[in-house]
Amino acid sequence: MGVSMKDVARMAGVSTATVSHVLNETRHVNGDTREKVLQAIRALNYNVNPIARTLRSGHSHMIGLVISDLTNLFYMDIALSIDKVLNPEGYHLIYINSDEDPAKERDNIESLLMQNVDGLIIAPTGKDCSYMQDLIGDRCPAVFFDRKPGDFPGDCILTENFDGAYGGTELLLSRGYRNIGFIGSSFTETMDERARGYRKALLDYAVEADDKLILFGSGRPLRLSEQKVGDSFKLTETLVRDRKADALFCGNALAAVGAVSYIKENRLRIPEDIALVCFDDMFWLSMSDPPLTAVDQDRLEIGRTAATVMLDRIRGNGEPFREYRIPTKLIPRSSC
Amino acid sequence: MGVSMKDVARMAGVSTATVSHVLNETRHVNGDTREKVLQAIRALNYNVNPIARTLRSGHSHMIGLVISDLTNLFYMDIALSIDKVLNPEGYHLIYINSDEDPAKERDNIESLLMQNVDGLIIAPTGKDCSYMQDLIGDRCPAVFFDRKPGDFPGDCILTENFDGAYGGTELLLSRGYRNIGFIGSSFTETMDERARGYRKALLDYAVEADDKLILFGSGRPLRLSEQKVGDSFKLTETLVRDRKADALFCGNALAAVGAVSYIKENRLRIPEDIALVCFDDMFWLSMSDPPLTAVDQDRLEIGRTAATVMLDRIRGNGEPFREYRIPTKLIPRSSC
DNA sequence: TCTTGGCAGGTAATCGATTACGTACGGAGG
DNA sequence: CCTCCGTACGTAATCGATTACCTGCCAAGA
């Protein structure tokens, strides 16, 4: 139906091999021959058929982006940032949603591999990524972000959780709060790093950390848009009732949603009754009343790094796998 | 490298043709022959190579989803709903972001067509989709949603904008508000339909519509996450200062963001000073203070319909193109 | 003069499926 | 016995590229 290389070859009076070599610059072609080919390409408005190319060459110029929750704006921002780097290099992204379900994640990866993706960028649903080993093997490079992939051999882009939490807690301390609670929606390595940053800040301010003020939800990771379903509502109650805490460090946005819900329902004032700082900045946190102080992860940079590392790997960088840490930015608003 | 049909054929002692026909049920194969093939497939853990299949057969079991803004949760929810229908039918979705940029939209469509997608589901950036005619032609069916595709010949899934706006306005009227303003972030056909619903409600309540209370922003469509950048902040000021309006119907979430920003900055109370109803429900509207009454579009149903219609078209439904309208749901909260 | 080697480009196998066409067999009808 | 048709399956062309290998030519060196 469409125009194929054969048509171009015929029109230019050369073989398809030459056309291919002109297109891919994979061997020298004389100036005038090349010109004839290029003209024929323009004249016929020819485009290479990516499917045929993939079938033969084994690589697709596609990168699979396996994300645990596409409705989470945090991930989508990172995805777009990745795209911004990869697109100009001729790579296309295939977004795919795991819905926080390891089984789907597995299917997704399998399906992407069958489509011959040149690489996988993954925000894993769980910490156990051992099964990916068998699946991916050395079929293509894998780059992880947001959560550590257990002991899977691949690069990993993470946020400076420790420093970020340290900074947020420090802000609360510098404003005079001394009974600072910490809530995380669930206990993960990421959350633990943040808790450690929080603890260190207390230590440096000579405030004794009270383990009763550090609480984690128990559930599996939840979709943000399901909100309130998590435990953070109750955790907040535990910390805030009876004025046990005068400030709260929320380990992630989900925790913040729970905290704010509780606080509003009980008509408490922020920051007079309880001050808040939240790890993660979602744009609607700024719409909340009052707007919340946040420790913002640098999605742009996380995405850029993931993309760059991926390009390196595709191009054959054989150095040992690394862990990259992206600094956070503290965004002071009026909740503390 | 991997296992191919040839291996299966060899193991089962048949030709590749038979294997293919077993897989696709495209011609009768004797029971025991079929069984041998299936066993070989299991034994070798064979999977068809989708790329080869696409190259030969011309269809890819892929549906391109061209969306004007992937960071908009509204679109993403629809996308996931579409996926939920298409996936069990063996179709995969390729999400692709136009970033509200018609040029990118064009590129995206072109690139998807080159990948032999079996269909396109499009949330167009603009009202002028005439150029798609040349691009898509009859290469694959196209289904549109959220915005009308001008005079492009394709099915179209839209919200009952008129009825929805009518219902929202009616709620305000029934609560006694009489000076109800209408703001839309920009003037589009969609927004016009909503404005007409609003007008009709006023008419039915014998309230004279005041054109000075009906305002539209001028800009191109904006990404929601850029917020406040739009005109709706100023439009709100025009309507609310001097108490010209006692209630506001926001034509979409973007308008609501602007309105709420203005109202908060000026320390007005909702609903005492100004009541609010918003077309579109975003989950953070419920977190706002007070939670906003909203006219919710049924994303699930929009997605389901789009997917179903697409399947019909792929399977050769040749009926004339239709426009589908999905009812809204009124979600009363405490902002009016 | 005869090898050698570099250049320019063509030939055809190949990737892994789908599918039009061909063949072999067996039973029914004349 | 011959034809005709249906069943069951194989053969090989095909989709549109990439790429290993080959050919022809010309100049340099022995």
Side-chain angles (χ1 to χ4, degrees):
Chain A
M1 191 200 300
V3 183
S4 83
M5 250 184 55
K6 241 191 254 178
D7 304 310
V8 175
R10 183 168 24 240
M11 179 162 191
V14 299
S15 73
T16 61
T18 301
V19 176
S20 171
H21 285 122
V22 167
L23 279 167
N24 302 305
E25 306 191 335
T26 146
R27 87 176 172 198
H28 180 80
V29 175
N30 251 15
D32 43 351
T33 313
R34 177 216 302 293
E35 209 40 57
K36 275 190 297 183
V37 170
L38 291 176
Q39 268 176 28
I41 287 177
R42 275 192 299 271
L44 296 171
N45 189 26
Y46 165 77
N47 288 297
V48 302
N49 178 327
I51 292 155
R53 185 209 284 270
T54 301
L55 177 59
R56 179 60 232 250
S57 71
H59 50 248
S60 59
H61 288 256
M62 299 249 165
I63 307 288
L65 189 59
V66 182
I67 290 203
S68 47
D69 177 12
L70 272 180
T71 65
N72 187 331
L73 192 54
F74 173 69
Y75 290 124
M76 190 43 79
D77 279 342
I78 292 175
L80 295 183
S81 165
I82 292 175
D83 198 47
K84 208 166 282 171
V85 175
L86 291 184
N87 225 308
E89 303 289 331
Y91 287 91
H92 283 264
L93 233 45
I94 306 188
Y95 306 80
I96 195 153
N97 190 32
S98 304
D99 216 8
E100 297 290 5
D101 174 354
K104 270 195 201 168
E105 181 174 74
R106 200 201 150 82
D107 285 353
N108 287 341
I109 293 178
E110 224 169 335
S111 136
L112 287 171
L113 287 173
M114 281 186 16
Q115 289 179 58
N116 260 304
V117 289
D118 290 350
L120 285 169
I121 302 182
I122 305 177
T125 59
K127 65 161 50 174
D128 182 22
C129 296
S130 47
Y131 73 87
M132 293 188 195
Q133 185 77 283
D134 308 330
L135 220 55
I136 305 179
D138 57 353
R139 302 232 275 156
C140 70
V143 171
F144 295 82
F145 70 95
D146 192 45
R147 302 177 193 162
K148 273 196 192 177
D151 44 16
F152 185 94
D155 299 291
C156 182
I157 322 306
L158 298 170
T159 285
E160 292 272 22
N161 290 308
F162 183 94
D163 292 358
Y166 185 98
T169 311
E170 191 178 29
L171 181 64
L172 287 169
L173 288 162
S174 74
R175 303 230 165 136
Y177 299 100
R178 284 301 177 268
N179 299 305
I180 305 175
F182 181 102
I183 49 176
S185 62
S186 62
F187 188 78
T188 59
E189 178 152 356
T190 296
M191 204 52 80
D192 192 38
E193 288 176 4
R194 293 177 189 174
R196 284 208 297 273
Y198 153 91
R199 281 196 144 94
K200 181 65 162 53
L202 293 186
L203 192 66
D204 288 357
Y205 272 72
V207 175
E208 201 172 343
D210 178 355
D211 278 349
K212 288 204 215 66
L213 290 183
I214 306 181
L215 299 178
F216 299 96
S218 56
R220 56 172 188 84
L222 287 165
R223 295 180 49 209
L224 194 53
S225 38
E226 285 167 3
Q227 50 157 338
K228 289 191 191 172
V229 190
D231 318 278
S232 36
F233 187 92
K234 280 190 186 158
L235 299 183
T236 307
E237 182 169 26
T238 316
L239 290 181
V240 172
R241 200 166 39 183
D242 316 322
R243 296 285 195 282
K244 271 164 73 177
D246 56 1
L248 234 49
F249 187 97
C250 303
N252 58 12
L254 196 54
V257 172
V260 170
S261 301
Y262 175 82
I263 291 170
K264 294 237 163 120
E265 273 189 28
N266 291 276
R267 314 212 157 280
L268 299 173
R269 290 159 308 161
I270 305 174
E272 292 82 357
D273 297 318
I274 180 87
L276 277 182
V277 168
C278 168
F279 208 109
D280 278 348
D281 188 33
M282 300 286 152
F283 99 95
W284 37 265
L285 286 182
S286 68
M287 277 195 52
S288 155
D289 193 29
L292 298 193
T293 294
V295 176
D296 191 19
Q297 302 193 53
D298 193 343
R299 302 136 145 102
L300 228 65
E301 188 56 26
I302 293 175
R304 255 198 303 257
T305 308
T308 312
V309 171
M310 176 52 78
L311 281 175
D312 272 13
R313 290 297 175 193
I314 288 178
R315 289 167 182 166
N317 177 345
E319 286 169 27
F321 298 116
R322 262 191 63 191
E323 182 179 297
Y324 297 79
R325 289 283 180 168
I326 311 300
T328 57
K329 239 177 292 184
L330 185 60
I331 304 184
R333 298 203 184 90
S334 38
S335 67
C336 73
Chain B
M1 190 198 302
V3 183
S4 83
M5 249 183 54
K6 241 191 255 176
D7 304 310
V8 175
R10 183 168 23 240
M11 178 161 191
V14 299
S15 73
T16 61
T18 301
V19 177
S20 172
H21 285 122
V22 168
L23 280 167
N24 302 304
E25 306 191 335
T26 146
R27 87 177 170 196
H28 180 79
V29 175
N30 251 14
D32 43 352
T33 313
R34 176 215 303 293
E35 210 40 57
K36 274 190 299 184
V37 170
L38 291 175
Q39 269 176 28
I41 287 177
R42 275 192 299 271
L44 296 171
N45 189 25
Y46 165 78
N47 288 297
V48 302
N49 178 327
I51 292 154
R53 186 209 284 272
T54 300
L55 177 59
R56 179 60 231 249
S57 71
H59 49 249
S60 58
H61 288 255
M62 300 250 164
I63 307 287
L65 189 58
V66 183
I67 290 204
S68 46
D69 177 14
L70 271 180
T71 65
N72 188 331
L73 191 54
F74 173 68
Y75 290 124
M76 190 43 78
D77 279 342
I78 292 175
L80 294 184
S81 165
I82 292 175
D83 198 47
K84 207 166 285 173
V85 176
L86 291 184
N87 226 307
E89 302 289 331
Y91 287 92
H92 283 264
L93 233 45
I94 306 187
Y95 305 80
I96 193 153
N97 190 32
S98 304
D99 216 7
E100 298 290 4
D101 174 354
K104 271 195 199 167
E105 180 175 74
R106 201 200 150 83
D107 285 353
N108 287 340
I109 292 177
E110 226 169 333
S111 136
L112 287 171
L113 286 172
M114 281 187 14
Q115 290 180 57
N116 259 304
V117 288
D118 290 349
L120 285 168
I121 302 182
I122 305 177
T125 59
K127 64 159 54 174
D128 182 22
C129 297
S130 47
Y131 73 87
M132 293 188 195
Q133 185 75 284
D134 308 332
L135 220 53
I136 305 179
D138 57 353
R139 301 231 275 157
C140 71
V143 171
F144 295 82
F145 70 94
D146 192 47
R147 301 176 193 162
K148 274 196 193 177
D151 43 16
F152 185 94
D155 298 290
C156 181
I157 324 299
L158 298 170
T159 285
E160 292 273 21
N161 291 308
F162 183 94
D163 292 357
Y166 185 99
T169 312
E170 192 178 27
L171 181 64
L172 288 169
L173 288 162
S174 73
R175 303 230 165 136
Y177 300 101
R178 283 301 177 267
N179 300 305
I180 305 175
F182 181 102
I183 49 177
S185 62
S186 62
F187 188 79
T188 59
E189 179 152 354
T190 296
M191 204 51 81
D192 192 37
E193 288 175 3
R194 294 177 188 173
R196 285 209 296 273
Y198 153 90
R199 281 196 144 96
K200 181 63 162 52
L202 293 186
L203 191 67
D204 287 356
Y205 273 70
V207 175
E208 203 173 341
D210 177 357
D211 278 349
K212 289 204 213 68
L213 290 184
I214 306 181
L215 299 178
F216 298 97
S218 56
R220 57 174 188 83
L222 286 166
R223 296 180 48 208
L224 193 54
S225 39
E226 286 167 2
Q227 49 155 340
K228 290 194 192 173
V229 190
D231 320 276
S232 36
F233 187 92
K234 279 190 186 160
L235 300 183
T236 308
E237 181 168 26
T238 316
L239 290 180
V240 172
R241 198 165 39 183
D242 317 324
R243 296 285 195 281
K244 270 165 74 178
D246 56 2
L248 235 49
F249 187 98
C250 303
N252 58 12
L254 196 54
V257 172
V260 170
S261 301
Y262 176 83
I263 291 170
K264 294 238 163 118
E265 273 189 28
N266 291 274
R267 313 211 157 280
L268 299 173
R269 290 160 306 160
I270 306 174
E272 293 82 357
D273 297 318
I274 180 87
L276 276 183
V277 167
C278 169
F279 208 108
D280 279 347
D281 188 34
M282 299 287 153
F283 98 95
W284 38 265
L285 286 182
S286 67
M287 278 195 52
S288 157
D289 193 28
L292 298 194
T293 294
V295 176
D296 191 21
Q297 302 193 53
D298 192 343
R299 302 136 146 101
L300 227 65
E301 188 57 26
I302 294 175
R304 255 198 303 258
T305 309
T308 311
V309 171
M310 176 52 78
L311 281 176
D312 272 12
R313 290 298 175 192
I314 287 178
R315 287 165 183 169
N317 176 347
E319 285 169 29
F321 297 117
R322 263 191 61 191
E323 181 178 300
Y324 298 78
R325 289 283 181 168
I326 311 299
T328 57
K329 240 176 292 184
L330 185 60
I331 303 184
R333 298 203 186 90
S334 39
S335 67
C336 73

